[in-house]
Amino acid sequence: MSDAGTDAAPRGRPRSAAADSAITETVLRLLEEGVTIGELSIEGIARDAGVGKATVYRRWAGKNALLMDVLNSIDEPTPELAGASVRDDLVTMIDAIRRRGLAKRSSAVMRNILLQFQQVPELWKQYHDTVIVTRRDAMLEVLERGVRTGEIRAGLDLELLGDIFAGPMLSRAMMRPGASLEDGLSEQIVDTVLEGARPR
Amino acid sequence: MSDAGTDAAPRGRPRSAAADSAITETVLRLLEEGVTIGELSIEGIARDAGVGKATVYRRWAGKNALLMDVLNSIDEPTPELAGASVRDDLVTMIDAIRRRGLAKRSSAVMRNILLQFQQVPELWKQYHDTVIVTRRDAMLEVLERGVRTGEIRAGLDLELLGDIFAGPMLSRAMMRPGASLEDGLSEQIVDTVLEGARPR
């Protein structure tokens, strides 16, 4: 997994940023044109990017590592948390899912890549073990802080509670092409889950 | 859409149940073997099922209608609701999502079909407009009943509340291959959302 991130150590002689971006742009363009992940080859990518195969392998261990970088490059960045109100940090995190959903809708490439990732188990596992796990850990930290500050009641399964906060937005943003993702939705979800559905 | 359901009126002379099931079994087998929806043709399906093309068209208006029936045939049936406690009916509905998730995990065919459906917009729209909308309407009815009986507080956006109940299980069951779907999870989600995450 050490070669999957954008900060992987370069192999051999110093890498060229121009070659790197020519390579990732080529992968994006090919995916945009409808080439499947299965059809992509390092050889074809190198040829289309106008570089040698060795240039690709100097930077990436293989096709999966390259694809992970391409996906990360078009993903919405993880938001900074203010770290004061747990409610506000939850809104920030849920709103990042909403913005990723909007970006995915506006980007055929991203939709196509995500769908294809899900069909290549080792790629999905890698995306899950890096990107998704990092996001869930950040959620858990905020919820644990909430229990300490008294904003979240004690005794709840916090991993499940994280899914209860994130799941509604995930299902709208990622599973239902036509669902509403309007401004203010994240606040509404967080406040409803905090308050509860039955009368107080 | 009138030909999409299993109860579509037969066309022309009476249909043969044996031919019908030979046809749907053939589609399942082909999908199981990795044939994509794009590659499937009525001609190929008829040939493999040992029937004439006319036999297929007598029963289904086209490939999409046939595929909808195949998907419905392997889907978990919609559960009966007891209609007494709103909390219990919510548990029944959320648990149906959990059981579909377990079935999907155990069935490569179902996973493959669902993924492929999502990539054929008109097929996904048809599945959404029939199956998914029906399930969401059932959820809305239960929540409206809850507001009337006082089990759900008034003033909430009930469509969003439906997503808050269903979203956590949907994201576990449909989006995260390794997530826990243990017995009792539906009760835990429903009770946490009813009670709220902040102390009472």
Side-chain angles (χ1 to χ4, degrees), chain A residues 153 163 172 195-198, chain B residues 153 163 172 195-198:
Chain A
R153 62 191 164 94
D163 285 350
R172 284 204 176 193
E195 187 70 11
R198 72 172 178 84
Chain B
R153 62 190 163 95
D163 286 351
R172 282 204 179 194
E195 187 69 11
R198 72 173 179 83

Side-chain angles (χ1 to χ4, degrees), chain B residues 72-80 92 95-97 99-100 135:
Chain B
N72 284 328
S73 75
I74 58 173
D75 215 348
E76 290 277 313
T78 301
E80 286 288 322
T92 300
D95 212 50
I97 303 174
R99 282 183 288 103
R100 279 195 294 273
R135 287 177 191 154

Side-chain angles (χ1 to χ4, degrees), chain B residues 8-58:
Chain B
R11 308 172 151 224
R13 65 187 171 85
R15 63 197 171 85
S16 138
D20 279 7
S21 84
I23 293 162
T24 54
E25 289 298 318
T26 298
V27 175
L28 274 176
R29 185 177 50 73
L30 289 169
L31 289 169
E32 204 160 19
E33 287 168 11
V35 174
T36 67
I37 286 179
E39 288 163 352
L40 284 177
S41 69
I42 294 290
E43 188 154 17
I45 293 164
R47 190 181 51 236
D48 278 33
V51 302
K53 265 171 71 175
T55 303
V56 181
Y57 281 118
R58 226 175 276 130

Side-chain angles (χ1 to χ4, degrees), chain A residues 115 119 124 136 150-153 157 163 168 172 174-177 188 193-200, chain B residues 115 119 124 136 150-153 157 163-164 172 174-177 188 193-200:
Chain A
L115 271 169
Q119 287 173 87
W124 187 246
R136 290 178 57 205
E151 286 164 274
I152 305 280
R153 62 191 164 94
D157 174 340
D163 285 350
R172 284 204 176 193
M174 304 296 161
M175 298 174 70
R176 281 167 41 202
Q188 220 185 329
V193 174
L194 284 172
E195 187 70 11
R198 72 172 178 84
R200 279 190 181 251
Chain B
L115 270 170
Q119 287 173 88
W124 186 247
R136 289 179 55 206
E151 288 165 273
I152 305 280
R153 62 190 163 95
D157 174 338
D163 286 351
I164 292 176
R172 282 204 179 194
M174 303 297 159
M175 298 173 69
R176 281 167 41 203
Q188 219 185 330
V193 174
L194 284 173
E195 187 69 11
R198 72 173 179 83
R200 279 191 180 250

